[in-house]
Amino acid sequence: MSELGERVDAANREAVRRMLEAAPTWNGVVRARHVVTGLGEREVCLAGPAVGWEAATAAQRRAVIEAVLFEGWADDEEGAAALVEEGGVTLGSAADRGGATPAALAVSPSTPVLCVEDRPTARRVWAALDATTSTGAARALDTTGDRLARRVFLRDALGPALDRAVDVAGSIELLPLLAHALHRGDDLGARTDALQTLVASELSRHLVRAGIPRGELGLVLDDLARGSTVAAALALGAARSIADAATGVPWSTIVTAMGQGGRSFGLRVAGLGRAWVTVRLDGASLVDEDLGDRPLAECVGLGAFAMPAAPALLAAYRTSDGAIADRVLAMRSITATAHPRLTVPLLGFEGVRVGIDVRRVVETGLEPLVAIEDVVRGPRVAPLAAFAAALEAFAEAAGIGDGGGA
Amino acid sequence: MTSSERPRASWFPDSTPAAPRTLDEAMGQRPAATLAVIGAPRAIAPVEVRRALEHGLDVLVVGEGLAPDDAAAEAAFAGERGLLLLVDDAVIDGTPIGGALAAVRTGGLAVVATDVAGAVEATCAAERAGYGAGQVLVVGDPDREEVVGGAATLAAVARLGADPGTTAITVIGPGDARVLRAIRHACVATGKPAVLCDPCGEPRRGIGWESVGSIAELPRALVRLGVDPGPPPPPRSAPARGEIVLGLLRARSTAHEVLGVLLPAGIDVASNVARAGVLPDDVGGHTVLALPSVAERIAWLERVSRTERVGAIVVDLPATPAADAEAPGLLAALGEVAGEAHAAGRELRVIAARSRPASRAPTAVDDALAQLGALVVEGAGAAATAALGTPDRGPVSAPPLGGRALSVITLAADDVAASLAARSVPVLPIAWSAPAGGDARLARLVGLLR
């Protein structure tokens, strides 16, 4: 092995060690302006690497317009679009602001976000609550009015209630909940139903003790029972917290973020800090435009890497591609190690695979799958071109390749 | 209950690990591996060769091989570590790897040649004098150049010197005078009789060694040096009714593979391949013919297959457009012959060596083979094994070179893997795909960062 190779291996071991030692804890729910670092007064954050209005997808533009209306910066959709086009609203990246969004959601200053803190390091991240009222293919049926109403409910009712409940609890450790959910049929990427049940169960007693008014309590409990909005955000927040633990480890080639911004797919690599490496997607390889920061789950061994934990999901995928199970097992070869606490019963309680190594993806050509709810379309693929670009960026930063060397 | 004892769902078998995708993974599954056979494209092969050498594996490069500069660099790297860097074909511990040396009779002679042709010629000449070769190592022409300094040859000679199964060493091929002198000194240092064949050099003799000007003089040199040919090969039994294997193959390499299975089993075979070069007059026993022309194959088929002693016909039908285009005529002739045998109450098996990627849809040839009731196997070696109808007895035993039994990892060399598996040689194929879709620059970056 070359000296450089040993240095990278050692860095990766350190990066993965930090990820495995992360202990994400849910501390509360606040409005984005109070926790999102540097968020401007007229700024909204989207998923993935930063994207401008021109490059934003139709779903992202719709989300931005909804955020503008939600904040009251414009009176109607035409006015909102005009405001953004004139530069009256800044578009940022949630990841660059220390957070994550579950879908094509624009996080504005009044948007409620879950606060997650890594207990060993006190490092804080946030994750936004999804404002859709439907899931999967039905998501497109949501109207702007539906989504605005939901955002108001999240801001004025669900968010504050959850915050009071978590305050009563002190804080809620997420790893035990994630571990339980994996044992109950979730992959914690496309499927968080079991986690939602566990969270609702955990929160209900704290909600009661928090003294939430009866009528409001009923609405909150109904909402928790109906969908997995909170669970999806918690899973995303936990993934952000775990992945961020490795950010900035020098010489490490471990992936700390993946996401789609506009028509580009982006990666972050630990050794490159918070810089995004992006590749342009063409029509054939365009990942689901509603992916958001969802691929964060795969960065920490959840989602597609934990698909064997979700037999129902895998069974649905198997009707379209029987080789997915083999692919999921093969993907272990592009990761660093197994998580000791997040295990999968169907794999003999083997730990989920943590730490996608850019070198191994490029070497094997094995593109990681990204699990999505839409089982008809099947799991998506993080494009190899993004990993190749990341490797080249890493090599350039390290001063190797094209005549250089260790 | 440990994680390895807990039950797993049938979707995720726990007894068979996923096929390795890289050399690192392969070594994790097969830490006792001794040899890597690497057939990666030339632009990418150096990265994989270096990785294999770093793992302490001997390396045999097949396919496109290495560029001269890369070959020199990797040979030097291998030589520093006492590892073998070989090319094209080899015989290791009596096991032929690759088709050209499949018919070599095993014995105590070791041959180190710069090219396959020289190796074949040397083993043929030696066998005519009763000498078998248990180790045949091809190091490539660049090895004898001054810049390389014979690194691969010197490493091979050192290994052969320590090999208890090697009783004499033969070094074939021209080279730089100083390099050849160093090789001669290394051979003498082993204490074993050595013959060096250098067409550009003068005949010379020393204590325990000789230098000759042509391979034809090799047998006499071995005799003069007192090298014992070893025991004669066991007598071969005549085939009985329905036991004759008739091989009608379009490629010499596949004919060699078939011979490589039949000969070690002690079966007498007539063939036009390699040393004989002459078509047999009649089918008195097993016959393996390499006939590029499909018309010739059909003619031989019609001539001999009606003999009641022919029990199996082996053909090679690679899934390529050219082979598929000429297959219908041969398949029609096979169909006629098989039909006649069936009507006469004779058993006649048709075995086709055909490798078709799973991603490729079946063609008319595949349909015709199915209609014929042919047994379709991957690899000519497997076809020959199936034709014998008896369990493969495996390679002729020989003391392992370097003290470790041969255990092979293959990368982009599926044909070699299939033929080794047919001989019951431990082999682990890597499910390899070129890094970043074959981008040589990225492959080198990965190599630098591993």
Side-chain angles (χ1 to χ4, degrees):
Chain A
M1 181 182 299
S2 67
E3 184 184 322
L4 181 56
E6 288 179 353
R7 187 185 301 174
V8 172
D9 276 358
N12 285 349
R13 284 194 294 271
E14 172 61 18
V16 170
R17 181 192 68 79
R18 295 184 187 186
M19 292 171 77
L20 296 182
E21 290 182 359
T25 307
W26 183 15
N27 282 354
V29 182
V30 298
R31 298 192 184 188
R33 63 165 51 88
H34 299 303
V35 71
V36 178
T37 309
L39 183 66
E41 270 309 307
R42 287 279 179 108
E43 179 177 352
V44 299
C45 294
L46 292 168
V51 60
W53 180 248
E54 293 300 320
T57 62
Q60 288 176 316
R61 288 190 176 195
R62 186 167 59 244
V64 171
I65 290 172
E66 286 169 3
V68 170
L69 295 174
F70 174 65
E71 295 291 337
W73 298 335
D75 296 326
D76 54 34
E77 294 186 29
E78 291 75 18
L83 181 66
V84 178
E85 286 168 6
E86 292 163 6
V89 176
T90 306
L91 302 189
S93 161
D96 292 344
R97 297 266 185 243
T101 60
L105 176 79
V107 177
S108 59
S110 301
T111 303
V113 299
L114 308 185
C115 303
V116 176
E117 180 178 303
D118 176 38
R119 183 147 286 178
T121 63
R123 186 175 23 82
R124 292 179 177 179
V125 300
W126 55 268
L129 287 164
D130 195 347
T132 56
T133 60
S134 308
T135 59
R139 198 187 300 273
L141 299 177
D142 283 351
T143 64
T144 301
D146 292 335
R147 293 169 60 84
L148 282 174
R150 174 128 185 102
R151 290 189 79 147
V152 170
F153 173 75
L154 293 176
R155 180 192 66 195
D156 297 340
L158 184 64
L162 293 178
D163 188 55
R164 289 168 67 178
V166 174
D167 187 49
V168 166
S171 62
I172 295 178
E173 283 192 49
L174 294 181
L175 275 188
L177 290 175
L178 299 180
H180 269 128
L182 285 173
H183 290 184
R184 295 188 181 197
D186 279 353
D187 68 336
L188 297 174
R191 191 179 173 93
T192 52
D193 296 345
L195 182 62
Q196 179 74 11
T197 303
L198 291 167
V199 168
S201 172
E202 177 70 17
L203 286 175
S204 56
R205 55 199 175 98
H206 300 309
L207 284 166
V208 170
R209 293 195 183 98
I212 310 287
R214 197 182 178 93
E216 198 175 307
L217 179 63
L219 290 174
V220 169
L221 289 173
D222 280 345
D223 192 82
L224 287 175
R226 202 167 28 236
S228 58
T229 297
V230 176
L234 283 176
L236 200 61
R240 167 99 277 150
S241 179
I242 294 170
D244 263 13
T247 299
V249 174
W251 296 100
S252 171
T253 54
I254 297 297
V255 175
T256 56
M258 293 192 291
Q260 182 178 349
R263 301 192 183 281
S264 298
F265 189 89
L267 288 184
R268 276 183 172 174
V269 177
L272 296 177
R274 299 198 174 276
W276 285 95
V277 177
T278 61
V279 293
R280 178 109 179 137
L281 298 170
D282 57 31
S285 63
L286 192 65
V287 187
D288 186 344
E289 64 176 40
D290 207 31
L291 210 55
D293 282 328
R294 258 280 301 107
L296 261 177
E298 278 73 14
C299 294
V300 300
L302 305 177
F305 286 89
M307 204 183 294
L313 188 65
L314 193 59
Y317 285 151
R318 277 162 62 94
T319 60
S320 60
D321 183 354
I324 285 182
D326 293 337
R327 174 72 171 268
V328 168
L329 291 179
M331 280 176 3
R332 292 186 288 187
S333 68
I334 60 173
T335 58
T337 192
H339 200 294
R341 295 180 60 186
L342 302 177
T343 58
V344 179
L346 275 178
L347 295 180
F349 295 90
E350 180 181 297
V352 298
R353 299 294 302 191
V354 175
I356 300 173
D357 188 339
V358 169
R359 297 176 301 172
R360 294 194 191 176
V361 175
V362 173
E363 182 179 12
T364 61
L366 192 60
E367 297 164 309
L369 294 179
V370 177
I372 61 171
E373 292 172 321
D374 189 347
V375 297
V376 174
R377 296 177 64 177
R380 311 313 297 166
V381 171
L384 180 62
F387 294 88
L391 187 71
E392 298 213 34
F394 183 90
E396 186 177 341
I400 63 172
D402 287 339
Chain B
M1 184 163 52
T2 64
S3 63
S4 62
E5 295 164 343
R6 291 194 174 105
R8 297 165 77 104
S10 59
W11 282 341
F12 305 101
D14 64 339
S15 59
T16 306
R21 291 181 167 267
T22 65
L23 267 166
D24 294 345
E25 289 177 20
M27 286 303 295
Q29 291 185 24
R30 196 69 63 89
T34 59
L35 174 72
V37 179
I38 295 175
R42 175 171 278 210
I44 296 171
V47 176
E48 302 295 348
V49 168
R50 177 59 64 98
R51 194 63 182 154
L53 293 171
E54 287 172 346
H55 275 294
L57 297 170
D58 295 329
V59 174
L60 171 63
V61 182
V62 299
E64 294 179 16
L66 296 171
D69 289 346
D70 293 324
E74 300 312 317
F77 187 87
E80 289 168 8
R81 286 153 181 78
L83 297 171
L84 301 178
L85 178 62
L86 310 173
V87 299
D88 296 333
D89 298 76
V91 175
I92 297 179
D93 302 340
T95 298
I97 303 174
L101 297 169
V104 171
R105 183 177 143 244
T106 196
L109 184 66
V111 176
V112 184
T114 53
D115 57 33
V116 175
V120 171
E121 192 177 348
T123 53
C124 289
E127 185 170 339
R128 281 194 287 272
Y131 295 97
Q135 315 287 353
V136 182
L137 310 174
V138 182
V139 296
D141 291 317
D143 186 62
R144 305 289 169 80
E145 294 172 8
E146 186 181 2
V147 64
V148 182
T153 304
L154 292 170
V157 168
R159 188 80 67 84
L160 294 168
D163 173 38
T166 295
T167 55
I169 299 172
T170 300
V171 179
I172 309 294
D176 177 82
R178 275 182 288 188
V179 172
L180 291 179
R181 187 160 55 242
I183 292 171
R184 188 179 74 238
H185 290 164
C187 289
V188 171
T190 65
K192 298 182 179 179
V195 179
L196 292 86
C197 299
D198 176 15
C200 304
E202 294 293 325
R204 295 178 62 188
R205 293 183 191 178
I207 300 175
W209 66 272
E210 280 202 28
S211 179
V212 298
S214 75
I215 293 175
E217 297 167 38
L218 170 62
R220 284 191 290 273
L222 289 171
V223 171
R224 285 193 293 268
L225 288 170
V227 179
D228 181 5
R236 292 163 177 168
S237 57
R241 172 179 172 171
E243 285 186 358
I244 286 180
V245 174
L246 174 63
L248 298 172
L249 306 156
R250 58 196 302 275
R252 294 172 67 85
S253 59
T254 47
H256 276 297
E257 284 198 50
V258 172
L259 288 172
V261 172
L262 300 182
L263 292 177
I267 296 172
D268 191 14
V269 185
S271 176
N272 69 330
V273 171
R275 63 208 62 184
V278 176
L279 291 170
D281 291 330
D282 201 351
V283 177
H286 301 291
T287 303
V288 174
L289 303 175
L291 302 166
S293 159
V294 67
E296 279 187 287
R297 275 178 275 150
I298 292 174
W300 269 90
L301 177 65
E302 292 171 349
R303 175 182 166 186
V304 306
S305 60
R306 290 174 175 81
T307 306
E308 64 180 15
R309 291 159 68 195
V310 174
I313 300 175
V314 176
V315 295
D316 56 345
L317 292 170
T320 62
D324 276 6
E326 66 179 26
L330 178 62
L331 289 172
L334 280 169
E336 267 191 46
V337 166
E340 286 178 14
H342 179 72
R346 282 189 287 117
E347 184 188 346
L348 178 64
R349 291 172 295 139
V350 176
I351 302 161
R354 180 169 174 84
S355 175
R356 178 174 63 83
S359 58
R360 239 183 114 176
T363 65
V365 172
D366 298 295
D367 294 338
L369 285 169
Q371 271 191 326
L372 192 57
L375 173 65
V376 180
V377 296
E378 187 155 337
T385 303
L388 286 180
T390 56
D392 188 4
R393 295 192 299 176
V396 176
S397 64
L401 183 65
R404 294 187 297 160
L406 182 65
S407 175
V408 183
I409 291 174
T410 64
L411 183 151
D414 292 342
D415 287 350
V416 172
S419 74
L420 288 173
R423 296 191 181 95
S424 303
V425 174
V427 58
L428 179 62
I430 294 175
W432 182 83
S433 58
D439 187 320
R441 202 170 68 84
L442 277 175
R444 286 184 187 271
L445 271 182
V446 171
L448 284 173
L449 291 170
R450 281 191 303 194

